[in-house]
């Protein structure tokens, strides 16, 4: 599902113009991004949390030059779904074997 699909679905279900829904969705995404960039987690009860995860420093390999490199400690954004979200997906989505 793409952002355009989400906007279309919300517009159809709510009766709000697509342009207004798009502006709202983009404003929501901008707020989440800005909050994480400022070091603040975002908690949405019943949906999940957008959090900042800390990655420790580690040693990696540059395969083409056959050398080791040091990857510094850094932060990454992550999403942690709420328990009700996880249970809903578990109960409604079939497991597909590869």
């Amino acid at each position: 599902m793409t952002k355009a699909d989400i906007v279309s679905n919300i517009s159809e279900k709510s009766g709000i113009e697509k342009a207004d829904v798009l502006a709202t969705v983009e404003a929501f995404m901008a707020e989440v991004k800005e909050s994480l960039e400022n070091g603040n987690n975002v908690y949405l009860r019943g949906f999940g949390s957008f959090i900042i995860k800390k990655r420790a420093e580690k040693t990696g390999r540059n395969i083409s030059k056959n050398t080791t490199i040091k990857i510094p400690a850094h932060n990454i954004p992550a999403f942690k779904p709420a328990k009700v979200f996880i249970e809903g997906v578990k109960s409604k989505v079939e497991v597909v074997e590869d």
Side-chain angles (χ1 to χ4, degrees):
M1 178 174 265
T2 64
K3 181 169 47 170
D5 296 334
I6 292 170
V7 169
S8 292
N9 289 348
I10 293 172
S11 178
E12 288 173 16
K13 290 177 182 177
S14 67
I16 301 172
E17 292 291 322
K18 282 186 180 182
D20 295 336
V21 174
L22 177 62
T24 303
V25 169
E26 290 196 352
F28 169 77
M29 293 187 313
E31 279 299 312
V32 170
K33 181 180 175 192
E34 185 177 326
S35 179
L36 292 174
E37 287 173 348
N38 291 330
N40 301 314
N41 294 334
V42 178
Y43 304 100
L44 302 172
R45 189 174 302 252
F47 184 74
S49 304
F50 294 92
I51 60 174
I52 300 168
K53 283 192 171 185
K54 293 159 184 58
R55 296 283 188 227
E57 182 179 288
K58 65 181 181 179
T59 303
R61 297 209 37 90
N62 182 341
I63 298 170
S64 62
K65 295 181 182 177
N66 199 24
T67 58
T68 59
I69 56 173
K70 202 169 264 194
I71 301 170
H74 58 281
N75 295 325
I76 61 163
F79 177 73
K80 182 180 178 189
K83 287 182 182 179
V84 293
F85 187 155
I86 293 169
E87 292 304 317
V89 172
K90 279 183 181 179
S91 66
K92 294 180 181 174
V93 178
E94 272 187 43
V95 176
V96 179
E97 297 294 326
D98 288 332

